Amino acid sequence: MVRTTPRPSRSGSRSPKGLTAVLSAATFFVVWTLAAIAIERNVLPPPWVVAASMVDEAVSGDLFFHLSATLSRVIAAFVLAMSLGTAIGFLMGRYRAIDSVLDVWLIVLLNLPALVVIILAYVWFGLTEAAAIGAVALNKLPNVIVTIREGARAFDPELDQMARAFRLGWRKRLFDVLLPQLQPYVAAASRSGLSLVWKIVLVVELLGRSNGVGFQLSMYFQLFDVATILAYAISFIMVMLAIEILIVQPLELRANRWRVRTH
Amino acid sequence: MSVPIDLHVARKVYRGAEGGTVEAVRDLSLFVPAGGFTALIGPSGCGKTTSLRILAGLDTDFEGTIGLPSETRIGFVFQEPRLLPWRTVEANMRLVHEKPDAFDPTPLFADLGLMEMRNRYPTELSLGLARRVSLGRALAINPDVLILDEPLTSLDETTALRLRQLIVKVWQKRRPTTLMVTHNVREALQIAERILLLAPRPSRVVTEIRLDRPQEERDEAYVEAMRSTLVRDWPLLVA
C-alpha cells in the first residue's frame, strides 16, 4: 500500500521517546545498585550478581526449560480465555436474554479469588496440566467477557442495517462488519490479559506443577536465593516485553492501519 | 431484471419508550413502474424514510404489503454513506456481491470516476466521494431496485451537481427501478421521471407529477418553472 503523506508527528517523536526509555532504565539500575550497596547483599543483590545468576541458569539449560514451560502455559490459558471470553461476551452484548441468564454467573466469577479457583481445580481435577491451564483461563475469562460485552453493546446499528439491507450472510456480517468493531476491545482485553495470565500461571506452578518459573521461584525462595529469584522474574518479564514489542504492537498497527491516516 | 415497486402501507405506528404511539404512515401506496425513476417529496418527518425502510425489509413491524418478489436484489444508498471504515473502497464494493472474488468492479469504478480511489480507506474520502462509493456499492449487486435516501444532502453545489449527473447516467445505463427520497424539489425536478408528493404525518400521496422531458434537456428555466407551479399548487408541501 502506498502512503503518500508521512506522519511527521509520529516519526519525529520516536527518537526522543526511545532516549527517554533508555535514560529511565539507566536510572533504575543506578538506584538498584545504590540500594543493593546500602541493604544487605542477600536481601537485594546488585544487578551484576543477578546477571551472573541468569547466565548460570541459562548455561545449565534450566532457564530456557522453565521459561518455555511457563510460556506455553501462558499461551494456552490466554488463547482459551480470549476465545471463550470473546464468544460469550459477544453473545451477552448482542442478546439480552443470554445476558440476563449469564450475568449473575459473571459477577460470581469476577469476584471469585484466583487462589480459590486454583485450589478447587487441583482438588477436583488432580494436579494435572489441564487443571492448571483451565484454572488460569477461568481467572482471566470474566474480564474478557466484560470488556467484549461492552464492545458488542456498542455495535453500530447503522452498519447492522446496511448489512441487512444488502442481505449479507452471517459470515460476512461476523468477519467484515461485527468483529472489526470489536477489535479495540479485543486489543484492550488481550493487553491486560497477557500480564494477568502470566502472574496467575506462576501461582498455579507454585502450588501444583514441577516445572516452570513459578516452581523455580518457590524452590529458590526456600533456599533464600534472591539473586536467582530475580533472575527468573526478570527473564520472564523480558520474554513478555519481547512479545509486546514483536507481536502485539505490530498486530495492533496492522489492525489500525485504516485509522492511522491523515485527513 | 427490473421489477416494479408496488408498496402499500396500510398503517405504520411508532411506539414511544413511554408507551405512547405515533401514527407515521396511513394508507400509503407507492407504485414505480419497472425501470422507472420516481422521487418522493414531502416535508421532513412525513414518513419518507420509513417507507424506504419498509420497502427494503429493514422494518417489518407494519400493516400492509411490500409487493416485491422475494429474490429482488435491492441496492440501498443511505443518507450517510455507511461504508465499512476498516475495508478499502474496493473491498466495500466487493463485500455486498454474492461472489466477491469473481466480481470485477473495474467498469463500475470507471463509471463512477473512482479508479484512483479503489485502494483508499473510507476515512480518507470526502463526503462526496464516500457517497459515490456508497452508490457504487448499491450498483455492485446489479440491483433490480435502487433505493436512494436523500443521497445528496450536505454536499456543496458542484459536488451535488456531479453526483446528480452520475445518478442519471447509471440509471439510464442500467435501468434499475429507482426510488429516491429527497426534500429538495430542484433536485427531484432535475433527475427524476416522476414525482410523488407526500402529505405530512400520517403520510399519504397527495399528487403525482410526471416529468416527460429527458433529463439532459432540463435546463434551469424548466426546473424553475416547474418548481414555481408546484409551490403555487402545494404551498404547504413544497418549499
Side-chain angles (χ1 to χ4, degrees):
Chain A
M1 196 126 316
V2 185
R3 281 179 185 77
T4 44
T5 327
R7 303 204 36 156
S9 58
R10 288 235 158 171
S11 54
S13 67
R14 184 160 294 160
S15 58
K17 197 182 161 194
L19 195 69
T20 323
V22 170
L23 275 176
S24 176
T27 315
F28 171 74
F29 281 107
V30 170
V31 172
W32 179 1
T33 309
L34 291 177
I37 291 167
I39 303 169
E40 198 189 334
R41 229 182 140 85
N42 282 345
V43 178
L44 182 64
W48 55 89
V49 176
V50 172
S53 140
M54 208 184 279
V55 171
D56 282 348
E57 291 292 310
V59 169
S60 73
D62 278 2
L63 185 66
F64 297 110
F65 173 71
H66 293 291
L67 279 185
S68 60
T70 297
L71 189 62
S72 44
R73 283 183 193 119
V74 167
I75 292 170
F78 176 77
V79 169
L80 195 63
M82 283 305 294
S83 46
L84 257 179
T86 304
I88 297 172
F90 175 86
L91 291 174
M92 286 179 79
R94 195 113 166 108
Y95 303 102
R96 199 167 285 186
I98 298 179
D99 189 46
S100 53
V101 171
L102 294 183
D103 195 43
V104 62
W105 296 107
L106 183 63
I107 294 167
V108 169
L109 215 52
L110 268 170
N111 290 289
L112 207 56
L115 203 52
V116 174
V117 175
I118 294 165
I119 291 171
L120 287 181
Y122 277 148
V123 171
W124 289 339
F125 304 105
L127 295 177
T128 59
E129 201 61 53
I133 290 169
V136 177
L138 199 60
N139 274 306
K140 170 58 192 160
L141 188 68
N143 303 69
V144 182
I145 294 176
V146 168
T147 311
I148 301 296
R149 181 174 64 175
E150 282 319 307
R153 281 175 179 164
F155 278 142
D156 183 352
E158 297 202 332
L159 290 182
D160 236 20
Q161 219 173 58
M162 184 278 292
R164 276 200 293 149
F166 284 97
R167 312 216 160 110
L168 300 186
W170 68 268
R171 212 181 274 263
K172 283 179 183 171
R173 279 195 206 191
L174 187 63
F175 291 106
D176 294 279
V177 182
L178 295 178
L179 286 184
Q181 295 183 63
L182 277 188
Q183 186 269 327
Y185 297 87
V186 173
S190 39
R191 262 293 161 70
S192 64
L194 216 51
S195 52
L196 182 70
V197 162
W198 102 262
K199 288 169 194 167
I200 302 174
V201 164
L202 292 203
V203 180
V204 168
E205 288 172 344
L206 182 122
L207 288 177
R209 305 307 303 151
S210 51
N211 54 26
V213 176
F215 172 76
Q216 289 297 90
L217 290 185
S218 79
M219 203 173 79
Y220 287 104
F221 170 55
Q222 283 159 35
L223 300 173
F224 210 72
D225 183 347
V226 180
T228 315
I229 290 175
L230 284 176
Y232 270 97
I234 290 170
S235 305
F236 205 80
I237 289 171
M238 275 156 61
V239 170
M240 299 306 275
L241 209 62
I243 291 177
E244 166 77 24
I245 292 167
L246 299 177
I247 300 174
V248 177
Q249 284 184 4
L251 272 181
E252 265 184 11
L253 207 63
R254 205 185 121 72
N256 285 325
R257 68 198 188 285
W258 59 274
R259 282 184 225 268
V260 201
R261 300 262 168 154
T262 43
H263 257 284
Chain B
M1 263 305 290
S2 300
V3 294
I5 295 173
D6 191 5
L7 175 73
H8 180 72
V9 183
R11 211 164 103 94
K12 165 69 196 174
V13 174
Y14 280 110
R15 284 168 190 81
E18 264 110 59
T21 56
V22 178
E23 189 178 38
V25 183
R26 185 199 300 158
D27 209 24
L28 174 74
S29 287
L30 293 179
F31 181 79
V32 186
F37 189 155
T38 294
L40 280 186
I41 292 188
S44 54
C46 80
K48 293 171 301 210
T49 297
T50 304
S51 315
L52 292 192
R53 287 166 43 87
I54 289 174
L55 183 63
L58 296 176
D59 188 340
T60 50
D61 180 24
F62 73 103
E63 293 164 34
T65 50
I66 296 178
L68 280 177
S70 59
E71 69 277 14
T72 310
R73 284 191 304 271
I74 298 176
F76 206 123
V77 179
F78 294 93
Q79 206 175 99
E80 326 74 35
R82 298 197 194 180
L83 303 168
L84 298 178
W86 40 84
R87 294 283 184 270
T88 60
V89 166
E90 180 166 348
N92 263 288
M93 292 244 214
R94 281 185 189 279
L95 177 80
V96 296
H97 202 266
E98 276 169 42
K99 300 188 183 76
D101 298 326
F103 171 59
D104 177 19
T106 310
L108 248 184
F109 281 130
D111 277 357
L112 295 171
L114 288 170
M115 224 44 163
E116 270 101 74
M117 302 294 150
R118 58 196 297 172
N119 292 325
R120 298 273 188 104
Y121 285 93
T123 44
E124 299 174 288
L125 305 179
S126 63
L127 180 60
L129 277 173
R131 286 255 173 82
R132 263 197 259 173
V133 177
S134 170
L135 176 65
R137 176 176 63 184
L139 295 169
I141 60 170
N142 198 13
D144 308 309
V145 169
L146 181 62
I147 298 178
L148 306 164
D149 186 3
E150 309 210 16
L152 300 165
T153 39
S154 41
L155 291 180
D156 62 83
E157 195 37 50
T158 326
T159 316
L161 176 71
R162 281 203 63 186
L163 199 52
R164 274 201 294 271
Q165 290 168 340
L166 212 55
I167 291 172
V168 171
K169 185 174 120 186
V170 291
W171 172 72
Q172 286 174 339
K173 192 170 170 182
R174 295 154 194 260
R175 285 283 172 161
T177 309
T178 303
L179 186 60
M180 176 176 79
V181 155
T182 177
H183 56 247
N184 183 337
V185 182
R186 278 199 190 80
E187 185 179 298
L189 290 169
Q190 271 159 343
I191 63 179
E193 269 190 324
R194 188 165 155 267
I195 292 174
L196 295 179
L197 210 55
L198 295 189
R201 193 167 284 174
S203 67
R204 66 220 131 70
V205 177
V206 289
T207 189
E208 174 190 335
I209 301 117
R210 296 206 53 87
L211 305 165
D212 290 324
R213 188 184 289 200
Q215 283 92 339
E216 302 79 28
E217 293 165 26
R218 295 180 194 168
D219 51 14
E220 201 56 36
Y222 170 83
V223 171
E224 255 335 291
M226 290 297 286
R227 196 182 79 92
S228 308
T229 320
L230 278 176
V231 173
R232 191 195 61 215
D233 295 349
W234 307 96
L236 292 175
L237 300 181
V238 182

PDB file of all heavy atoms in Angstrom, chain B residues 133-144:
ATOM      1  N   VAL B 133     -19.015   6.139  -3.568  1.00  0.00           N
ATOM      2  CA  VAL B 133     -18.696   4.742  -3.273  1.00  0.00           C
ATOM      3  C   VAL B 133     -19.956   4.017  -2.815  1.00  0.00           C
ATOM      4  O   VAL B 133     -20.230   2.882  -3.209  1.00  0.00           O
ATOM      5  CB  VAL B 133     -17.596   4.644  -2.190  1.00  0.00           C
ATOM      6  CG1 VAL B 133     -17.336   3.193  -1.835  1.00  0.00           C
ATOM      7  CG2 VAL B 133     -16.322   5.315  -2.663  1.00  0.00           C
ATOM      8  N   SER B 134     -20.742   4.716  -1.983  1.00  0.00           N
ATOM      9  CA  SER B 134     -21.980   4.133  -1.481  1.00  0.00           C
ATOM     10  C   SER B 134     -22.944   3.815  -2.632  1.00  0.00           C
ATOM     11  O   SER B 134     -23.602   2.777  -2.648  1.00  0.00           O
ATOM     12  CB  SER B 134     -22.596   5.104  -0.480  1.00  0.00           C
ATOM     13  OG  SER B 134     -23.878   4.714  -0.142  1.00  0.00           O
ATOM     14  N   LEU B 135     -22.985   4.727  -3.622  1.00  0.00           N
ATOM     15  CA  LEU B 135     -23.800   4.480  -4.816  1.00  0.00           C
ATOM     16  C   LEU B 135     -23.237   3.284  -5.587  1.00  0.00           C
ATOM     17  O   LEU B 135     -23.981   2.412  -6.048  1.00  0.00           O
ATOM     18  CB  LEU B 135     -23.810   5.740  -5.688  1.00  0.00           C
ATOM     19  CG  LEU B 135     -24.525   5.666  -7.043  1.00  0.00           C
ATOM     20  CD1 LEU B 135     -26.018   5.432  -6.845  1.00  0.00           C
ATOM     21  CD2 LEU B 135     -24.301   6.939  -7.863  1.00  0.00           C
ATOM     22  N   GLY B 136     -21.910   3.254  -5.697  1.00  0.00           N
ATOM     23  CA  GLY B 136     -21.260   2.146  -6.397  1.00  0.00           C
ATOM     24  C   GLY B 136     -21.549   0.816  -5.723  1.00  0.00           C
ATOM     25  O   GLY B 136     -21.782  -0.197  -6.387  1.00  0.00           O
ATOM     26  N   ARG B 137     -21.530   0.825  -4.394  1.00  0.00           N
ATOM     27  CA  ARG B 137     -21.811  -0.407  -3.659  1.00  0.00           C
ATOM     28  C   ARG B 137     -23.219  -0.910  -3.974  1.00  0.00           C
ATOM     29  O   ARG B 137     -23.447  -2.097  -4.194  1.00  0.00           O
ATOM     30  CB  ARG B 137     -21.661  -0.155  -2.167  1.00  0.00           C
ATOM     31  CG  ARG B 137     -22.019  -1.362  -1.333  1.00  0.00           C
ATOM     32  CD  ARG B 137     -21.770  -1.115   0.118  1.00  0.00           C
ATOM     33  NE  ARG B 137     -22.620  -0.039   0.623  1.00  0.00           N
ATOM     34  CZ  ARG B 137     -22.549   0.436   1.850  1.00  0.00           C
ATOM     35  NH1 ARG B 137     -21.661  -0.051   2.694  1.00  0.00           N
ATOM     36  NH2 ARG B 137     -23.352   1.393   2.253  1.00  0.00           N
ATOM     37  N   ALA B 138     -24.183   0.041  -4.020  1.00  0.00           N
ATOM     38  CA  ALA B 138     -25.555  -0.361  -4.323  1.00  0.00           C
ATOM     39  C   ALA B 138     -25.655  -0.926  -5.736  1.00  0.00           C
ATOM     40  O   ALA B 138     -26.419  -1.855  -5.995  1.00  0.00           O
ATOM     41  CB  ALA B 138     -26.493   0.831  -4.160  1.00  0.00           C
ATOM     42  N   LEU B 139     -24.837  -0.369  -6.664  1.00  0.00           N
ATOM     43  CA  LEU B 139     -24.898  -0.841  -8.042  1.00  0.00           C
ATOM     44  C   LEU B 139     -24.130  -2.142  -8.233  1.00  0.00           C
ATOM     45  O   LEU B 139     -24.361  -2.864  -9.201  1.00  0.00           O
ATOM     46  CB  LEU B 139     -24.339   0.232  -8.976  1.00  0.00           C
ATOM     47  CG  LEU B 139     -25.147   1.525  -9.038  1.00  0.00           C
ATOM     48  CD1 LEU B 139     -24.368   2.603  -9.782  1.00  0.00           C
ATOM     49  CD2 LEU B 139     -26.486   1.282  -9.723  1.00  0.00           C
ATOM     50  N   ALA B 140     -23.205  -2.430  -7.307  1.00  0.00           N
ATOM     51  CA  ALA B 140     -22.346  -3.610  -7.455  1.00  0.00           C
ATOM     52  C   ALA B 140     -23.154  -4.900  -7.482  1.00  0.00           C
ATOM     53  O   ALA B 140     -22.738  -5.885  -8.088  1.00  0.00           O
ATOM     54  CB  ALA B 140     -21.327  -3.657  -6.323  1.00  0.00           C
ATOM     55  N   ILE B 141     -24.292  -4.910  -6.830  1.00  0.00           N
ATOM     56  CA  ILE B 141     -25.086  -6.139  -6.806  1.00  0.00           C
ATOM     57  C   ILE B 141     -26.007  -6.218  -8.019  1.00  0.00           C
ATOM     58  O   ILE B 141     -26.830  -7.117  -8.111  1.00  0.00           O
ATOM     59  CB  ILE B 141     -25.923  -6.263  -5.512  1.00  0.00           C
ATOM     60  CG1 ILE B 141     -26.885  -5.075  -5.386  1.00  0.00           C
ATOM     61  CG2 ILE B 141     -25.035  -6.351  -4.290  1.00  0.00           C
ATOM     62  CD1 ILE B 141     -27.897  -5.243  -4.263  1.00  0.00           C
ATOM     63  N   ASN B 142     -25.836  -5.279  -8.951  1.00  0.00           N
ATOM     64  CA  ASN B 142     -26.679  -5.224 -10.139  1.00  0.00           C
ATOM     65  C   ASN B 142     -28.157  -5.231  -9.726  1.00  0.00           C
ATOM     66  O   ASN B 142     -28.897  -6.167 -10.027  1.00  0.00           O
ATOM     67  CB  ASN B 142     -26.354  -6.411 -11.052  1.00  0.00           C
ATOM     68  CG  ASN B 142     -26.849  -6.169 -12.454  1.00  0.00           C
ATOM     69  OD1 ASN B 142     -27.212  -5.041 -12.803  1.00  0.00           O
ATOM     70  ND2 ASN B 142     -26.892  -7.225 -13.253  1.00  0.00           N
ATOM     71  N   PRO B 143     -28.584  -4.181  -9.033  1.00  0.00           N
ATOM     72  CA  PRO B 143     -29.880  -4.222  -8.348  1.00  0.00           C
ATOM     73  C   PRO B 143     -31.080  -4.178  -9.289  1.00  0.00           C
ATOM     74  O   PRO B 143     -31.020  -3.555 -10.351  1.00  0.00           O
ATOM     75  CB  PRO B 143     -29.846  -2.961  -7.481  1.00  0.00           C
ATOM     76  CG  PRO B 143     -28.951  -2.025  -8.219  1.00  0.00           C
ATOM     77  CD  PRO B 143     -27.910  -2.877  -8.890  1.00  0.00           C
ATOM     78  N   ASP B 144     -32.139  -4.866  -8.895  1.00  0.00           N
ATOM     79  CA  ASP B 144     -33.420  -4.727  -9.590  1.00  0.00           C
ATOM     80  C   ASP B 144     -34.078  -3.439  -9.139  1.00  0.00           C
ATOM     81  O   ASP B 144     -34.776  -2.783  -9.907  1.00  0.00           O
ATOM     82  CB  ASP B 144     -34.347  -5.892  -9.233  1.00  0.00           C
ATOM     83  CG  ASP B 144     -33.681  -7.232  -9.439  1.00  0.00           C
ATOM     84  OD1 ASP B 144     -33.139  -7.438 -10.524  1.00  0.00           O
ATOM     85  OD2 ASP B 144     -33.681  -8.056  -8.502  1.00  0.00           O
TER      86      ASP B 144
END
